[in-house]
Structures are given as structure tokens and as C-alpha cells.
Amino acid sequence: MHLIADGGSTKTEWILIDRQRVAMRFLTQGFNPNYTDWETMTAIINNEFPADFPENVEKISYYGSGCGNEKNCQLVAAALRQRFTTAEIEVTHDMMAAAHAVLGHEKGIACILGTGANSCLYDGKSIVNQAVSLGYLVGDEGSGTYIGKKVVRSYFYDLMPDDLRQQFEAEYHLSHKDFIDRLYHYPQPNTYLSSFCKFAGEHCQNAYIQQLVGDCFNEFLNVFVCRYEDFENLNVSFVGSVAYHFQDILKVCLENKDLHLGEIIQTPADGLVKYHCK
């Protein structure tokens, strides 16, 4: 039995493979070793699995947020090992999940476009080059947080067309004071900013929104895709809710730059099953 995990900070999807077929699929709370303590991680693993989950797992492939360094990988592996004492355990980061899910064993460029943004150059086995991620304060071009930031800035700067502005006001009833207070005095400001990306999704047929989102994607492609050697000849594939829901705009941006589109998927889970069952 082989257990695959797509581990995010808020939720983790677990998929149990038995004889190359999906035997069980379920969600638990997520965790990130950068800020989740040991007790919480082990409690999730011990208490949130289904009651009938088998204990004779032979291999675990865990892809997780915050698992970009060896120390955190070892910490997550240890948390899994305290329950699955005899299993072979591999822990790696979410960028590798994207590469395995959309590229499999083929060379190409894998991109994450969700709340955050990142990319890597993958040779079919390993990540050979990875873009520098500066986080939502400085970077994350093209991400949900980045688009949300552009939307709310457009509203407060009076750049938004009147019809959109009226709809924004009706939906959010947002004052400048309330916005600043929520942004700087409450936790997870990146999640708050990304919530305004929903407005762009609701109005993605509007020419102004299409231009705004397209500009964000062009910035992403310039920084995260065109940086790699031979990028013009490689498939560029995407994982993430932003890439998935705005894929019509994203496809136009790729075409305008003569880039080769591979796959666009919302989550890596199904792609990971396909990768590991081959």
C-alpha cells in the first residue's frame, strides 16, 4: 500500500493506493512545519484519519508546504514515522508535486499559480532550476494575492470603471480605514488580499478585468517562465486555482509570447496518482 499526500497549510489530501488503484481518499487539516508545532502535526496524523484506515502502509510520498529544506522534511517524516513505523517515507516540497503532477517523466516548466506563485525547470526526474520566490510582499506575480492586490488598489485609486466600482462597493462596503485596519492589524494579510481575486473571477468577461489579470500573468511569465534556458521550446504547465479559473486569459498570454502550453489543473492530486501508478 502506498499513501500519497498533497499537504497544504490549511488542508491535506491523502490518497491510499492499493495494487495500483485508489482504495481511499480523504482530507485532514493541513500543517506547515515552519509554524505548526510537533503536537499539532502528530495529532492530525493520529486522530484525523478514517477509523478503518489500514496500518500496513508500505510507502508514503508526502508533498508539502514548508518542506523546502532538509530540516523540515525530516520533521514531517518523523511525525509520519511515529505512526507508520515500518513504512518507507519520502517528504518533498509542493513544487515537486506540481512537476510530478503535470509533467510526469517529461522535461518542461511546471508552475504554481494559486494564492502564491512559483515555477521550476524539471528534467523528467529532478528539479534542475527553480525561480526565486520573494513572497507576497515583494513578489508572487500572477498569484491570487497579486491579482487581489491589483483589484483593491484599482478601486481605491479610482482606476476602476464606474460600473465595476459600483459592483465592488455593493459587494464589499469597504472603507479605506477598514481596509488598512484589516490589512495591518489582523493575521494572514496575504489571504485577505487574495480574497479580492474572487471579484476578478466574477467579472472575468469585463474588458478591464481581462486586461488587469492579463497584465498580472504577463508579469508572471516574464519573471517565472522566460528566465529558463530554452524556455521557448518547452511545455509550460500549471497547477493552482488561479491558473485553472482564469485559464482563458492565461492561454492568450502564452500565445502572445509564443509559449507552448502543456496542462492546466486545479490541484495536483489526480496527477500525482497517475505519476505514482505508472
Side-chain angles (χ1 to χ4, degrees), residues 9-10 35 136 182-183 185-194:
S9 297
T10 56
Y35 49 78
Y136 76 94
R182 175 61 182 81
L183 186 66
H185 298 108
Y186 288 81
Q188 297 184 305
N190 61 321
T191 303
Y192 177 59
L193 288 171
S194 70

mmCIF file of all heavy atoms in Angstrom, residues 9-10 35 136 182-183 185-194:
data_model
loop_
_atom_site.group_PDB
_atom_site.id
_atom_site.type_symbol
_atom_site.label_atom_id
_atom_site.label_comp_id
_atom_site.label_asym_id
_atom_site.label_seq_id
_atom_site.Cartn_x
_atom_site.Cartn_y
_atom_site.Cartn_z
ATOM 1 N N SER A 9 -1.062 24.168 3.919
ATOM 2 C CA SER A 9 -1.057 24.732 5.259
ATOM 3 C C SER A 9 -2.423 24.634 5.923
ATOM 4 O O SER A 9 -2.508 24.560 7.150
ATOM 5 C CB SER A 9 -0.614 26.200 5.208
ATOM 6 O OG SER A 9 0.713 26.300 4.740
ATOM 7 N N THR A 10 -3.493 24.633 5.127
ATOM 8 C CA THR A 10 -4.838 24.588 5.711
ATOM 9 C C THR A 10 -5.487 23.210 5.610
ATOM 10 O O THR A 10 -6.247 22.823 6.493
ATOM 11 C CB THR A 10 -5.767 25.613 5.040
ATOM 12 O OG1 THR A 10 -5.782 25.380 3.630
ATOM 13 C CG2 THR A 10 -5.269 27.028 5.300
ATOM 14 N N TYR A 35 5.567 26.690 10.946
ATOM 15 C CA TYR A 35 4.873 27.308 12.070
ATOM 16 C C TYR A 35 3.878 26.389 12.776
ATOM 17 O O TYR A 35 3.169 26.826 13.687
ATOM 18 C CB TYR A 35 4.151 28.605 11.629
ATOM 19 C CG TYR A 35 3.306 28.491 10.388
ATOM 20 C CD1 TYR A 35 2.045 27.909 10.427
ATOM 21 C CD2 TYR A 35 3.764 28.976 9.167
ATOM 22 C CE1 TYR A 35 1.264 27.823 9.290
ATOM 23 C CE2 TYR A 35 2.986 28.887 8.030
ATOM 24 C CZ TYR A 35 1.742 28.322 8.094
ATOM 25 O OH TYR A 35 0.972 28.228 6.964
ATOM 26 N N TYR A 136 4.619 37.244 -0.973
ATOM 27 C CA TYR A 136 3.559 38.148 -1.425
ATOM 28 C C TYR A 136 3.886 39.619 -1.225
ATOM 29 O O TYR A 136 3.352 40.474 -1.925
ATOM 30 C CB TYR A 136 2.242 37.794 -0.736
ATOM 31 C CG TYR A 136 2.157 38.241 0.709
ATOM 32 C CD1 TYR A 136 1.571 39.455 1.041
ATOM 33 C CD2 TYR A 136 2.661 37.446 1.732
ATOM 34 C CE1 TYR A 136 1.483 39.875 2.358
ATOM 35 C CE2 TYR A 136 2.574 37.856 3.042
ATOM 36 C CZ TYR A 136 1.989 39.066 3.358
ATOM 37 O OH TYR A 136 1.922 39.470 4.663
ATOM 38 N N ARG A 182 -7.719 46.087 8.605
ATOM 39 C CA ARG A 182 -7.721 44.630 8.393
ATOM 40 C C ARG A 182 -6.394 44.149 7.837
ATOM 41 O O ARG A 182 -5.903 43.067 8.199
ATOM 42 C CB ARG A 182 -8.865 44.272 7.437
ATOM 43 C CG ARG A 182 -8.920 42.798 7.021
ATOM 44 C CD ARG A 182 -9.121 41.893 8.206
ATOM 45 N NE ARG A 182 -9.132 40.498 7.803
ATOM 46 C CZ ARG A 182 -8.044 39.765 7.567
ATOM 47 N NH1 ARG A 182 -6.844 40.318 7.702
ATOM 48 N NH2 ARG A 182 -8.146 38.501 7.199
ATOM 49 N N LEU A 183 -5.783 44.944 6.987
ATOM 50 C CA LEU A 183 -4.543 44.531 6.336
ATOM 51 C C LEU A 183 -3.377 44.473 7.315
ATOM 52 O O LEU A 183 -2.557 43.553 7.271
ATOM 53 C CB LEU A 183 -4.222 45.493 5.186
ATOM 54 C CG LEU A 183 -3.039 45.131 4.295
ATOM 55 C CD1 LEU A 183 -3.327 43.857 3.519
ATOM 56 C CD2 LEU A 183 -2.737 46.269 3.322
ATOM 57 N N HIS A 185 -3.492 44.835 10.913
ATOM 58 C CA HIS A 185 -3.678 44.504 12.319
ATOM 59 C C HIS A 185 -4.310 43.137 12.553
ATOM 60 O O HIS A 185 -4.658 42.808 13.683
ATOM 61 C CB HIS A 185 -4.512 45.591 13.014
ATOM 62 C CG HIS A 185 -3.863 46.940 12.997
ATOM 63 N ND1 HIS A 185 -4.316 47.970 12.204
ATOM 64 C CD2 HIS A 185 -2.769 47.425 13.646
ATOM 65 C CE1 HIS A 185 -3.545 49.034 12.370
ATOM 66 N NE2 HIS A 185 -2.602 48.728 13.232
ATOM 67 N N TYR A 186 -4.451 42.356 11.492
ATOM 68 C CA TYR A 186 -5.001 41.015 11.619
ATOM 69 C C TYR A 186 -4.056 40.017 10.949
ATOM 70 O O TYR A 186 -3.259 40.394 10.084
ATOM 71 C CB TYR A 186 -6.394 40.936 10.983
ATOM 72 C CG TYR A 186 -7.466 41.653 11.775
ATOM 73 C CD1 TYR A 186 -7.623 43.038 11.678
ATOM 74 C CD2 TYR A 186 -8.311 40.949 12.623
ATOM 75 C CE1 TYR A 186 -8.601 43.709 12.411
ATOM 76 C CE2 TYR A 186 -9.300 41.605 13.363
ATOM 77 C CZ TYR A 186 -9.431 42.980 13.256
ATOM 78 O OH TYR A 186 -10.398 43.634 13.978
ATOM 79 N N PRO A 187 -4.154 38.758 11.345
ATOM 80 C CA PRO A 187 -3.249 37.755 10.748
ATOM 81 C C PRO A 187 -3.582 37.456 9.292
ATOM 82 O O PRO A 187 -4.667 37.755 8.811
ATOM 83 C CB PRO A 187 -3.459 36.521 11.637
ATOM 84 C CG PRO A 187 -4.815 36.695 12.237
ATOM 85 C CD PRO A 187 -4.995 38.177 12.403
ATOM 86 N N GLN A 188 -2.628 36.844 8.592
ATOM 87 C CA GLN A 188 -2.754 36.362 7.214
ATOM 88 C C GLN A 188 -3.225 37.438 6.234
ATOM 89 O O GLN A 188 -4.242 37.286 5.548
ATOM 90 C CB GLN A 188 -3.697 35.154 7.159
ATOM 91 C CG GLN A 188 -3.174 33.956 7.936
ATOM 92 C CD GLN A 188 -4.060 32.745 7.799
ATOM 93 O OE1 GLN A 188 -5.250 32.792 8.065
ATOM 94 N NE2 GLN A 188 -3.487 31.642 7.363
ATOM 95 N N PRO A 189 -2.473 38.542 6.132
ATOM 96 C CA PRO A 189 -2.852 39.578 5.166
ATOM 97 C C PRO A 189 -2.827 39.097 3.723
ATOM 98 O O PRO A 189 -3.570 39.613 2.886
ATOM 99 C CB PRO A 189 -1.810 40.679 5.404
ATOM 100 C CG PRO A 189 -0.661 39.997 6.063
ATOM 101 C CD PRO A 189 -1.265 38.897 6.886
ATOM 102 N N ASN A 190 -1.983 38.104 3.418
ATOM 103 C CA ASN A 190 -1.949 37.573 2.049
ATOM 104 C C ASN A 190 -3.275 36.912 1.675
ATOM 105 O O ASN A 190 -3.773 37.071 0.555
ATOM 106 C CB ASN A 190 -0.790 36.590 1.873
ATOM 107 C CG ASN A 190 -0.888 35.391 2.797
ATOM 108 O OD1 ASN A 190 -1.286 35.512 3.955
ATOM 109 N ND2 ASN A 190 -0.505 34.228 2.318
ATOM 110 N N THR A 191 -3.864 36.184 2.637
ATOM 111 C CA THR A 191 -5.158 35.553 2.382
ATOM 112 C C THR A 191 -6.241 36.606 2.202
ATOM 113 O O THR A 191 -7.135 36.462 1.351
ATOM 114 C CB THR A 191 -5.529 34.612 3.542
ATOM 115 O OG1 THR A 191 -4.488 33.639 3.701
ATOM 116 C CG2 THR A 191 -6.835 33.895 3.266
ATOM 117 N N TYR A 192 -6.154 37.668 2.984
ATOM 118 C CA TYR A 192 -7.128 38.764 2.860
ATOM 119 C C TYR A 192 -7.030 39.413 1.480
ATOM 120 O O TYR A 192 -8.038 39.625 0.803
ATOM 121 C CB TYR A 192 -6.888 39.790 3.956
ATOM 122 C CG TYR A 192 -7.792 40.999 3.865
ATOM 123 C CD1 TYR A 192 -9.170 40.868 3.919
ATOM 124 C CD2 TYR A 192 -7.257 42.282 3.718
ATOM 125 C CE1 TYR A 192 -10.009 41.983 3.835
ATOM 126 C CE2 TYR A 192 -8.082 43.401 3.630
ATOM 127 C CZ TYR A 192 -9.451 43.234 3.690
ATOM 128 O OH TYR A 192 -10.274 44.334 3.599
ATOM 129 N N LEU A 193 -5.814 39.713 1.039
ATOM 130 C CA LEU A 193 -5.643 40.317 -0.282
ATOM 131 C C LEU A 193 -6.128 39.383 -1.385
ATOM 132 O O LEU A 193 -6.765 39.826 -2.354
ATOM 133 C CB LEU A 193 -4.174 40.680 -0.507
ATOM 134 C CG LEU A 193 -3.632 41.866 0.294
ATOM 135 C CD1 LEU A 193 -2.122 41.971 0.142
ATOM 136 C CD2 LEU A 193 -4.296 43.169 -0.160
ATOM 137 N N SER A 194 -5.845 38.103 -1.242
ATOM 138 C CA SER A 194 -6.253 37.156 -2.287
ATOM 139 C C SER A 194 -7.771 37.020 -2.369
ATOM 140 O O SER A 194 -8.308 36.593 -3.398
ATOM 141 C CB SER A 194 -5.615 35.780 -2.054
ATOM 142 O OG SER A 194 -6.164 35.142 -0.925
#
